[in-house]
Amino acid sequence: MVYCQISCGRCKCCSAPWDVIQKTGSSRFLQAVAATNSSLEATLKRPGYTGTILVPSDAAFEAALAKYPGLLQDPAVLLQVLKFHILPPEPRTRGLWTSPFMAVGGTIFSLYDGTASIKSAKTALPAGLTAQGGVTGIKLTGPVNSATVVQSDLRACKTVVTTLDSLLWPFDPATRLSATADALSTLLGASGYALAPNAQINGTQVAAGDGNTQASVQACAASCAKASACNAWSYCPQMGGCRFPDGTTVNYGSCELLHSAEVAAGEGPAYGNSGFDEVPVISGWASQGVTPAAEKAPATNPVATAGR
């Protein structure tokens, strides 16, 4: 949507930040914003916000999601990661963090609720630089990793949009992922299920994932508990879908229900060898109270889901 400032007949119409981000092709960022169920989406769809938005590329988001499956499923965690990429005006000058300003080098504070900040590396300005900016190659460093400016100073009313080649973490994702997985394991353990992040269980398909969309890992486990013959499941927690290294994509919220003969026999589940270092789904199985396989006949033909 395009907005015009009716108080000034000479002012040009301008696009809201959301629309400008769409034009960059960074759909993953917008999907992530929508998934937080917060006021952030409404803020980006209005022209009044004054600030700078750092937008990681789709490839950057996919790399982060593949490495840390399940972490960004938590809307609260996701919101904090996104807020780390939104920069209010510099407090002393009230100026926007345009690329020439970043190139001077210094400390940048974001809307992130913690104490983490971003450091911009001093970068030589190109000859003939105008007030429109457009400097690229600036290195931005957070407490965990760095990113490089790919495209800068895209105007969106009172906002500028800058794209990055990496997602900046305001906290150590490995530590936070461990805590998140532990919390989920404890929660599901109380319901009689064990959890296996970055894994896919072999078994007989009871219900296809696309026909059994669930809002969370817990809801997926609950749907398994209600389904005859189900004693294992595989869930995609990633906003926008779980993409395997071979290009196969499983839709977000997909909850595939399975019958594992090994689990039914009181053993641990069997995992297929897909040859992938990263398996972007979370699996779980009934760790107690499993009905023997003879009493729980599978509903459909066997499929080796771990071999994607």
Side-chain angles (χ1 to χ4, degrees), residues 54-57 60 85 118-121 137-142 144-150 163-169:
L54 305 177
V55 180
S57 66
H85 292 77
I118 300 169
K119 303 287 186 182
S120 65
I138 302 170
K139 185 178 180 181
L140 302 179
T141 302
V144 178
N145 66 322
S146 299
T148 301
V149 172
V150 177
T163 63
L164 307 178
D165 66 353
S166 297
L167 181 146
L168 289 168
W169 292 99

mmCIF file of all heavy atoms in Angstrom, residues 54-57 60 85 118-121 137-142 144-150 163-169:
data_model
loop_
_atom_site.group_PDB
_atom_site.id
_atom_site.type_symbol
_atom_site.label_atom_id
_atom_site.label_comp_id
_atom_site.label_asym_id
_atom_site.label_seq_id
_atom_site.Cartn_x
_atom_site.Cartn_y
_atom_site.Cartn_z
ATOM 1 N N LEU A 54 16.945 -4.143 9.583
ATOM 2 C CA LEU A 54 17.934 -5.042 8.994
ATOM 3 C C LEU A 54 17.214 -6.337 8.617
ATOM 4 O O LEU A 54 16.668 -7.011 9.493
ATOM 5 C CB LEU A 54 19.060 -5.330 9.991
ATOM 6 C CG LEU A 54 19.780 -4.118 10.579
ATOM 7 C CD1 LEU A 54 20.818 -4.567 11.610
ATOM 8 C CD2 LEU A 54 20.431 -3.286 9.486
ATOM 9 N N VAL A 55 17.206 -6.676 7.353
ATOM 10 C CA VAL A 55 16.431 -7.822 6.873
ATOM 11 C C VAL A 55 17.375 -8.915 6.365
ATOM 12 O O VAL A 55 17.983 -8.765 5.303
ATOM 13 C CB VAL A 55 15.471 -7.398 5.749
ATOM 14 C CG1 VAL A 55 14.667 -8.602 5.257
ATOM 15 C CG2 VAL A 55 14.540 -6.292 6.232
ATOM 16 N N PRO A 56 17.516 -10.014 7.103
ATOM 17 C CA PRO A 56 18.320 -11.140 6.597
ATOM 18 C C PRO A 56 17.673 -11.727 5.344
ATOM 19 O O PRO A 56 16.450 -11.770 5.233
ATOM 20 C CB PRO A 56 18.304 -12.151 7.761
ATOM 21 C CG PRO A 56 17.946 -11.331 8.970
ATOM 22 C CD PRO A 56 17.024 -10.271 8.464
ATOM 23 N N SER A 57 18.484 -12.172 4.417
ATOM 24 C CA SER A 57 17.963 -12.781 3.196
ATOM 25 C C SER A 57 17.238 -14.084 3.502
ATOM 26 O O SER A 57 17.392 -14.662 4.590
ATOM 27 C CB SER A 57 19.115 -13.059 2.220
ATOM 28 O OG SER A 57 19.973 -14.055 2.767
ATOM 29 N N ALA A 60 19.644 -16.697 4.372
ATOM 30 C CA ALA A 60 20.151 -16.568 5.740
ATOM 31 C C ALA A 60 19.179 -17.180 6.740
ATOM 32 O O ALA A 60 19.576 -17.883 7.679
ATOM 33 C CB ALA A 60 20.392 -15.095 6.069
ATOM 34 N N HIS A 85 16.969 -6.936 14.979
ATOM 35 C CA HIS A 85 17.221 -6.436 13.628
ATOM 36 C C HIS A 85 16.492 -5.120 13.342
ATOM 37 O O HIS A 85 16.480 -4.647 12.202
ATOM 38 C CB HIS A 85 16.803 -7.487 12.594
ATOM 39 C CG HIS A 85 17.668 -8.706 12.596
ATOM 40 N ND1 HIS A 85 17.560 -9.687 13.563
ATOM 41 C CD2 HIS A 85 18.677 -9.104 11.767
ATOM 42 C CE1 HIS A 85 18.455 -10.635 13.318
ATOM 43 N NE2 HIS A 85 19.132 -10.305 12.242
ATOM 44 N N ILE A 118 25.045 -4.217 18.561
ATOM 45 C CA ILE A 118 25.682 -4.531 17.287
ATOM 46 C C ILE A 118 26.827 -3.547 17.052
ATOM 47 O O ILE A 118 26.684 -2.343 17.300
ATOM 48 C CB ILE A 118 24.660 -4.424 16.134
ATOM 49 C CG1 ILE A 118 23.504 -5.403 16.354
ATOM 50 C CG2 ILE A 118 25.329 -4.677 14.786
ATOM 51 C CD1 ILE A 118 22.329 -5.186 15.404
ATOM 52 N N LYS A 119 27.950 -4.053 16.594
ATOM 53 C CA LYS A 119 29.094 -3.206 16.257
ATOM 54 C C LYS A 119 29.204 -3.109 14.739
ATOM 55 O O LYS A 119 29.166 -4.128 14.036
ATOM 56 C CB LYS A 119 30.394 -3.798 16.821
ATOM 57 C CG LYS A 119 30.386 -4.027 18.331
ATOM 58 C CD LYS A 119 30.488 -2.738 19.096
ATOM 59 C CE LYS A 119 30.623 -3.021 20.603
ATOM 60 N NZ LYS A 119 30.678 -1.764 21.382
ATOM 61 N N SER A 120 29.337 -1.893 14.242
ATOM 62 C CA SER A 120 29.563 -1.721 12.805
ATOM 63 C C SER A 120 31.035 -1.420 12.567
ATOM 64 O O SER A 120 31.640 -0.620 13.290
ATOM 65 C CB SER A 120 28.691 -0.597 12.250
ATOM 66 O OG SER A 120 29.045 0.654 12.807
ATOM 67 N N ALA A 121 31.607 -2.080 11.573
ATOM 68 C CA ALA A 121 33.026 -1.896 11.266
ATOM 69 C C ALA A 121 33.218 -0.644 10.409
ATOM 70 O O ALA A 121 32.423 -0.370 9.509
ATOM 71 C CB ALA A 121 33.566 -3.115 10.526
ATOM 72 N N GLY A 137 28.698 -3.941 1.820
ATOM 73 C CA GLY A 137 29.930 -4.546 2.312
ATOM 74 C C GLY A 137 30.279 -4.189 3.741
ATOM 75 O O GLY A 137 31.328 -4.611 4.246
ATOM 76 N N ILE A 138 29.426 -3.430 4.415
ATOM 77 C CA ILE A 138 29.687 -3.062 5.818
ATOM 78 C C ILE A 138 29.479 -4.298 6.695
ATOM 79 O O ILE A 138 28.465 -4.999 6.569
ATOM 80 C CB ILE A 138 28.745 -1.938 6.273
ATOM 81 C CG1 ILE A 138 28.901 -0.715 5.376
ATOM 82 C CG2 ILE A 138 29.006 -1.568 7.734
ATOM 83 C CD1 ILE A 138 27.856 0.355 5.607
ATOM 84 N N LYS A 139 30.421 -4.559 7.577
ATOM 85 C CA LYS A 139 30.325 -5.709 8.465
ATOM 86 C C LYS A 139 29.674 -5.311 9.775
ATOM 87 O O LYS A 139 30.115 -4.374 10.440
ATOM 88 C CB LYS A 139 31.713 -6.300 8.731
ATOM 89 C CG LYS A 139 31.693 -7.575 9.558
ATOM 90 C CD LYS A 139 33.097 -8.136 9.739
ATOM 91 C CE LYS A 139 33.094 -9.423 10.560
ATOM 92 N NZ LYS A 139 34.470 -9.946 10.742
ATOM 93 N N LEU A 140 28.609 -6.016 10.134
ATOM 94 C CA LEU A 140 27.913 -5.804 11.402
ATOM 95 C C LEU A 140 28.134 -7.034 12.275
ATOM 96 O O LEU A 140 27.933 -8.162 11.823
ATOM 97 C CB LEU A 140 26.416 -5.583 11.169
ATOM 98 C CG LEU A 140 26.034 -4.411 10.247
ATOM 99 C CD1 LEU A 140 24.524 -4.339 10.094
ATOM 100 C CD2 LEU A 140 26.580 -3.093 10.785
ATOM 101 N N THR A 141 28.526 -6.819 13.523
ATOM 102 C CA THR A 141 28.865 -7.930 14.406
ATOM 103 C C THR A 141 28.040 -7.867 15.683
ATOM 104 O O THR A 141 28.006 -6.832 16.362
ATOM 105 C CB THR A 141 30.362 -7.903 14.767
ATOM 106 O OG1 THR A 141 31.129 -7.953 13.574
ATOM 107 C CG2 THR A 141 30.724 -9.094 15.643
ATOM 108 N N GLY A 142 27.344 -8.968 15.985
ATOM 109 C CA GLY A 142 26.605 -9.091 17.227
ATOM 110 C C GLY A 142 27.411 -9.871 18.238
ATOM 111 O O GLY A 142 28.590 -10.169 18.009
ATOM 112 N N VAL A 144 27.312 -12.953 18.900
ATOM 113 C CA VAL A 144 27.542 -14.341 18.497
ATOM 114 C C VAL A 144 28.163 -14.447 17.106
ATOM 115 O O VAL A 144 29.092 -15.221 16.888
ATOM 116 C CB VAL A 144 26.217 -15.144 18.534
ATOM 117 C CG1 VAL A 144 26.428 -16.579 18.058
ATOM 118 C CG2 VAL A 144 25.630 -15.125 19.944
ATOM 119 N N ASN A 145 27.655 -13.672 16.158
ATOM 120 C CA ASN A 145 28.114 -13.811 14.766
ATOM 121 C C ASN A 145 28.082 -12.479 14.049
ATOM 122 O O ASN A 145 27.699 -11.451 14.634
ATOM 123 C CB ASN A 145 27.261 -14.845 14.031
ATOM 124 C CG ASN A 145 25.825 -14.378 13.865
ATOM 125 O OD1 ASN A 145 25.264 -13.750 14.752
ATOM 126 N ND2 ASN A 145 25.225 -14.670 12.731
ATOM 127 N N SER A 146 28.467 -12.492 12.789
ATOM 128 C CA SER A 146 28.518 -11.275 11.985
ATOM 129 C C SER A 146 27.669 -11.417 10.725
ATOM 130 O O SER A 146 27.336 -12.522 10.304
ATOM 131 C CB SER A 146 29.965 -10.958 11.583
ATOM 132 O OG SER A 146 30.775 -10.740 12.714
ATOM 133 N N ALA A 147 27.348 -10.273 10.135
ATOM 134 C CA ALA A 147 26.617 -10.241 8.867
ATOM 135 C C ALA A 147 27.168 -9.096 8.032
ATOM 136 O O ALA A 147 27.732 -8.134 8.563
ATOM 137 C CB ALA A 147 25.125 -10.057 9.114
ATOM 138 N N THR A 148 26.986 -9.198 6.738
ATOM 139 C CA THR A 148 27.469 -8.167 5.819
ATOM 140 C C THR A 148 26.293 -7.527 5.098
ATOM 141 O O THR A 148 25.351 -8.218 4.686
ATOM 142 C CB THR A 148 28.437 -8.772 4.788
ATOM 143 O OG1 THR A 148 29.548 -9.359 5.482
ATOM 144 C CG2 THR A 148 28.959 -7.704 3.846
ATOM 145 N N VAL A 149 26.336 -6.213 4.967
ATOM 146 C CA VAL A 149 25.281 -5.474 4.273
ATOM 147 C C VAL A 149 25.340 -5.785 2.776
ATOM 148 O O VAL A 149 26.381 -5.615 2.137
ATOM 149 C CB VAL A 149 25.427 -3.960 4.506
ATOM 150 C CG1 VAL A 149 24.452 -3.182 3.624
ATOM 151 C CG2 VAL A 149 25.198 -3.627 5.979
ATOM 152 N N VAL A 150 24.219 -6.251 2.237
ATOM 153 C CA VAL A 150 24.129 -6.611 0.818
ATOM 154 C C VAL A 150 23.479 -5.492 0.010
ATOM 155 O O VAL A 150 23.895 -5.163 -1.097
ATOM 156 C CB VAL A 150 23.337 -7.918 0.643
ATOM 157 C CG1 VAL A 150 23.164 -8.258 -0.833
ATOM 158 C CG2 VAL A 150 24.017 -9.062 1.380
ATOM 159 N N THR A 163 19.377 -4.951 3.709
ATOM 160 C CA THR A 163 19.391 -6.415 3.701
ATOM 161 C C THR A 163 20.770 -6.945 4.080
ATOM 162 O O THR A 163 21.792 -6.337 3.779
ATOM 163 C CB THR A 163 18.972 -6.972 2.334
ATOM 164 O OG1 THR A 163 19.914 -6.561 1.340
ATOM 165 C CG2 THR A 163 17.578 -6.484 1.953
ATOM 166 N N LEU A 164 20.777 -8.119 4.746
ATOM 167 C CA LEU A 164 22.000 -8.748 5.233
ATOM 168 C C LEU A 164 22.151 -10.153 4.662
ATOM 169 O O LEU A 164 21.161 -10.785 4.281
ATOM 170 C CB LEU A 164 21.975 -8.842 6.764
ATOM 171 C CG LEU A 164 21.708 -7.563 7.559
ATOM 172 C CD1 LEU A 164 21.673 -7.888 9.057
ATOM 173 C CD2 LEU A 164 22.757 -6.519 7.267
ATOM 174 N N ASP A 165 23.381 -10.652 4.672
ATOM 175 C CA ASP A 165 23.621 -12.012 4.180
ATOM 176 C C ASP A 165 23.534 -13.061 5.278
ATOM 177 O O ASP A 165 23.633 -14.263 5.003
ATOM 178 C CB ASP A 165 24.973 -12.105 3.474
ATOM 179 C CG ASP A 165 26.154 -11.893 4.420
ATOM 180 O OD1 ASP A 165 25.935 -11.542 5.601
ATOM 181 O OD2 ASP A 165 27.304 -12.068 3.982
ATOM 182 N N SER A 166 23.341 -12.632 6.524
ATOM 183 C CA SER A 166 23.218 -13.569 7.652
ATOM 184 C C SER A 166 22.229 -13.032 8.671
ATOM 185 O O SER A 166 22.004 -11.812 8.753
ATOM 186 C CB SER A 166 24.574 -13.794 8.345
ATOM 187 O OG SER A 166 25.507 -14.379 7.490
ATOM 188 N N LEU A 167 21.651 -13.940 9.433
ATOM 189 C CA LEU A 167 20.795 -13.555 10.552
ATOM 190 C C LEU A 167 21.687 -13.305 11.762
ATOM 191 O O LEU A 167 22.560 -14.123 12.074
ATOM 192 C CB LEU A 167 19.779 -14.661 10.829
ATOM 193 C CG LEU A 167 18.769 -14.431 11.945
ATOM 194 C CD1 LEU A 167 17.429 -15.078 11.599
ATOM 195 C CD2 LEU A 167 19.263 -15.013 13.263
ATOM 196 N N LEU A 168 21.498 -12.196 12.444
ATOM 197 C CA LEU A 168 22.285 -11.868 13.630
ATOM 198 C C LEU A 168 21.601 -12.411 14.880
ATOM 199 O O LEU A 168 20.408 -12.166 15.097
ATOM 200 C CB LEU A 168 22.452 -10.352 13.752
ATOM 201 C CG LEU A 168 23.372 -9.686 12.725
ATOM 202 C CD1 LEU A 168 23.212 -8.167 12.782
ATOM 203 C CD2 LEU A 168 24.825 -10.082 12.959
ATOM 204 N N TRP A 169 22.349 -13.153 15.676
ATOM 205 C CA TRP A 169 21.799 -13.724 16.911
ATOM 206 C C TRP A 169 22.130 -12.820 18.097
ATOM 207 O O TRP A 169 23.295 -12.497 18.308
ATOM 208 C CB TRP A 169 22.384 -15.111 17.170
ATOM 209 C CG TRP A 169 21.964 -16.151 16.194
ATOM 210 C CD1 TRP A 169 22.667 -16.612 15.125
ATOM 211 C CD2 TRP A 169 20.737 -16.892 16.210
ATOM 212 N NE1 TRP A 169 21.962 -17.582 14.457
ATOM 213 C CE2 TRP A 169 20.770 -17.774 15.101
ATOM 214 C CE3 TRP A 169 19.623 -16.895 17.041
ATOM 215 C CZ2 TRP A 169 19.726 -18.652 14.810
ATOM 216 C CZ3 TRP A 169 18.576 -17.768 16.744
ATOM 217 C CH2 TRP A 169 18.634 -18.629 15.650
#
